[in-house]
Amino acid sequence: MKKERRQPAGHVQPSTSTCDSCTEASCSARTRNAGESDRDFEDRRRLQERLCRIRHKIVVLSGKGGVGKSTVAVNLAVALRLNGNRVGLLDVDIHGPSIPTMMGLENRTPQGDQGQLFPLDAAGLKVMSLGFFLRHPDEAVIWRGPLKMGAIKQFLKDVDWGDLDFLIIDSPPGTGDEPLSVCQLIGRMDGAVIVTTPQRVAAVDVRKSITFCRELKVPVIGVVENMSGFVCPHCGTLTPILRSGGGHRIALDMGVPFLGSIPIDPQIAVCCDEGRPFIQYAADSPATAKLQEIIRTIDALGRA
Ligand code: ADP
């Protein structure tokens, strides 16, 4: 499998790399595993071919739901795009996909052709979510592990992601089947961003997410503390309505970087509900300034 030469972020270079034309001797997709069927070998090659065209794969994790993980994933992806990167956003939150709503893509269905699915375009991002395939928003997905793994594999292997600088993957809360499948299928993940809220009950779960990353050898890019205080829209005073600093303390304790904290801003919730990334539509919010600082660290990965 051919390794892409590192280019400055935003450099658009159409790739024609395929496993057949590749000369990378160390690629695991070059040789068939013992006992592997033709179909499994072909699938593995196709997956590798797609992944080779994506320079950086970043998973966004959280210990608990409702801490703003999808909000961070969406706005991180949009910010990277605004900085000139080619970005994909993959929602593997199979039981509660919120990316279609947050990206203003509800009731849209991706098209397919010859075994490929075409991601939807929003804010210049390539977006894919299981939510696009649910017949009704109230539909509950009741799947066990292997079925989830199959769906995630399809999203990585059969979606026409093209050449990307970043693929941001929004994973459901916890350390279950979905983040495990993503990390195993991708193999070499660039890193994980872990989102938490400041209270102790949420922050202690960050430890589990960090341990999960360590066991899977996924580098922790850092911890983001969301809903860290409330900025009054009238006077700009920051009130720590939830106990703050929990995320910071745990990051220090566990020896991983702390990326920063984002305050509560009612504009964020409105933007999410209306399918507008707040980083674009609430440019004057203190939360946007904080997120921009956080993103600088991640964007630097693309420019390294
Ligand atoms: P998760 O993915 O962790 O379940 P979401 O990203 O879906 O959480 O966010 C849950 C809710 O909280 C959403 O309605 C979102 O708009 C809102 N929200 C997230 N972060 C903030 C914030 N900093 N200020 C205000 N509302 C926020």
Side-chain angles (χ1 to χ4, degrees):
M1 183 62 49
K2 186 167 151 191
K3 295 249 171 31
E4 275 187 54
R5 197 160 56 86
R6 288 197 162 217
Q7 300 286 357
H11 181 103
V12 180
Q13 185 191 50
S15 167
T16 52
S17 68
T18 66
C19 282
D20 292 331
S21 63
C22 176
T23 54
E24 176 66 48
S26 63
C27 177
S28 62
R30 277 180 79 80
T31 48
R32 187 191 293 262
N33 291 334
E36 193 172 41
S37 68
D38 285 352
R39 169 125 193 238
D40 287 350
F41 182 42
E42 188 47 38
D43 272 5
R44 205 157 55 79
R45 277 166 58 102
R46 275 187 70 176
L47 173 64
Q48 202 53 48
E49 219 168 87
R50 293 269 187 230
L51 295 177
C52 266
R53 295 174 64 182
I54 303 171
R55 293 176 59 218
H56 301 290
K57 296 107 181 160
I58 293 174
V59 64
V60 183
L61 301 172
S62 69
K64 283 207 186 308
V67 299
K69 170 187 50 59
S70 300
T71 306
V72 169
V74 161
N75 288 281
L76 165 63
V78 171
L80 289 169
R81 174 68 200 141
L82 291 173
N83 287 357
N85 297 287
R86 299 159 296 174
V87 185
L89 177 62
L90 171 60
D91 178 10
V92 298
D93 193 341
I94 285 170
H95 299 287
S98 41
I99 297 294
T101 306
M102 290 189 180
M103 292 301 299
L105 291 170
E106 280 175 307
N107 304 319
R108 297 272 309 277
T109 309
Q111 300 300 305
D113 188 30
Q114 298 184 349
Q116 285 204 104
L117 268 175
F118 301 110
L120 294 178
D121 186 290
L125 306 181
K126 292 182 174 178
V127 187
M128 185 53 71
S129 166
L130 182 80
F132 297 143
F133 302 96
L134 300 180
R135 284 182 300 268
H136 191 276
D138 299 341
E139 193 176 334
V141 178
I142 305 165
W143 286 358
R144 287 190 194 278
L147 216 52
K148 291 183 194 172
M149 172 91 154
I152 294 170
K153 190 173 183 181
Q154 255 192 302
F155 281 158
L156 290 169
K157 171 175 73 68
D158 297 336
V159 170
D160 180 20
W161 293 109
D163 296 302
L164 294 180
D165 295 308
F166 288 95
L167 180 65
I168 305 298
I169 304 158
D170 181 26
S171 183
T175 52
D177 291 318
E178 296 88 336
L180 181 63
S181 300
V182 165
C183 295
Q184 286 177 337
L185 287 164
I186 289 185
R188 226 176 42 196
M189 186 79 74
D190 288 78
V193 173
I194 301 173
V195 183
T196 186
T197 48
Q199 322 89 298
R200 220 173 136 244
V201 279
V204 286
D205 284 342
V206 171
R207 291 182 186 277
K208 293 181 192 154
S209 301
I210 295 171
T211 306
F212 170 87
C213 290
R214 286 187 173 149
E215 285 187 8
L216 293 174
K217 306 214 175 344
V218 173
V220 176
I221 296 172
V223 173
V224 174
E225 188 176 287
N226 187 30
M227 307 193 189
S228 191
F230 173 75
V231 176
C232 171
H234 305 293
C235 66
T237 309
L238 183 82
T239 311
I241 51 173
L242 302 173
R243 218 168 150 208
S244 68
H248 195 182
R249 267 193 302 277
I250 286 186
L252 277 178
D253 224 39
M254 300 278 292
V256 299
F258 181 69
L259 295 174
S261 38
I262 305 171
I264 294 176
D265 182 340
Q267 285 189 81
I268 293 184
V270 172
C271 282
C272 287
D273 283 355
E274 293 180 352
R276 294 179 298 141
F278 80 83
I279 199 136
Q280 230 176 341
Y281 290 91
D284 57 338
S285 160
T288 301
K290 291 285 193 175
L291 189 62
Q292 290 286 12
E293 278 171 36
I294 290 167
I295 281 152
R296 264 197 283 281
T297 312
I298 298 166
D299 198 11
L301 278 176
R303 297 178 194 278

